[in-house]
Amino acid sequence: MLELLLTLLLQLTGINRTVDPGLTAIAEVRVQEIQTDFSHAGQRCCWEILAWNYGRATQEASTLRAVEQWRASSVHWGILVDPSLTRIGCAVAFNGTEGRFVCILDRGTTGAPAPTLPAPPSEPAGSEPVISTLPDAALPTECVPIVKELLDWATPIILGLAAFGILFQLDVALAERRRKE
C-alpha cells in the first residue's frame, strides 16, 4: 500500500519527490506511535501529515480514503503541494479495517540527513499528565471505540436513508413524467 500511497501523491500533486530513508524511518516509528496517541505530539522533525480511518473493506480503499482526508484539509493539502518539500518518507499500518498513515516531508537535497528532535519526554512518576492540543483532524484515543461502535450502528441506517432518498426522487420524477403525459 506504500507504493499506492506514493503513486497517488505523485499523481495528485505533480511533485516528484525523493523517497528519503531517514524520513521513512521516522514515519515508520510515528505510524506505530499514533496507534495510541493520534496527535502531532510525537513529531520529530520537518512537516508531518497523519491520517486514520476505519471501516474500509480493503487496504486499497483505506489508502484512497487517507489521501481524500488529506485533500479535504487545507493544512495537510498545503503541505503536500508545497514544491519546496522535495523529500518524503511515508509509512502505513493496518489492523483489520483500521488504517493509519504517516508522511514526513522536508526540504533539502537528496541524501541530506533529516533533522531530528529527541522523542517527547515521558511524564515523571506521580506528575499530572500534560494535555496537548490535538490538531483539528485528530481523534482522541479514548473516543476511537465509541466512534467505531457508532459507525457500526449508523452505517446501515445512513445507507437505508440514502436509498430511500433515491427511491423518493425516482418516484417524484416518475409522477412528474406521468403528469406531463
Side-chain angles (χ1 to χ4, degrees), residues 101-116:
F101 305 83
V102 175
C103 286
I104 309 291
L105 296 96
D106 198 13
R107 295 184 174 103
T109 58
T110 303
T116 57

Side-chain angles (χ1 to χ4, degrees), residues 2 6 16-24 86-90 110-111:
L2 186 57
L6 291 169
N16 191 11
R17 295 186 165 99
T18 300
V19 176
D20 184 285
L23 297 179
T24 300
T86 57
R87 298 183 299 139
I88 191 168
C90 296
T110 303

Side-chain angles (χ1 to χ4, degrees), residues 13-86:
T13 65
I15 300 171
N16 191 11
R17 295 186 165 99
T18 300
V19 176
D20 184 285
L23 297 179
T24 300
I26 294 169
E28 288 170 351
V29 170
R30 291 291 293 134
V31 81
Q32 296 307 314
E33 291 175 346
I34 66 171
Q35 182 174 359
T36 56
D37 181 12
F38 187 76
S39 75
H40 293 287
Q43 185 172 349
R44 309 258 187 324
C45 76
C46 321
W47 287 261
E48 174 182 85
I49 57 173
L50 310 174
W52 170 84
N53 60 63
Y54 175 78
R56 303 293 175 243
T58 65
Q59 292 180 356
E60 290 85 359
S62 187
T63 303
L64 291 170
R65 179 64 184 136
V67 174
E68 290 171 359
Q69 289 170 301
W70 289 333
R71 285 187 76 186
S73 163
S74 60
V75 173
H76 293 92
W77 194 242
I79 292 168
L80 284 168
V81 297
D82 183 341
S84 72
L85 300 175
T86 57

Side-chain angles (χ1 to χ4, degrees), residues 34-38 52-54 98 134-152:
I34 66 171
Q35 182 174 359
T36 56
D37 181 12
F38 187 76
W52 170 84
N53 60 63
Y54 175 78
E98 178 182 303
L134 298 173
D136 59 347
L139 181 66
T141 304
E142 63 271 10
C143 295
V144 171
I146 296 166
V147 171
K148 287 180 180 179
E149 185 177 329
L150 180 62
L151 286 172
D152 289 342

Side-chain angles (χ1 to χ4, degrees), residues 119-132:
S122 57
E123 296 295 323
S127 69
E128 290 289 318
V130 175
I131 299 174
S132 62

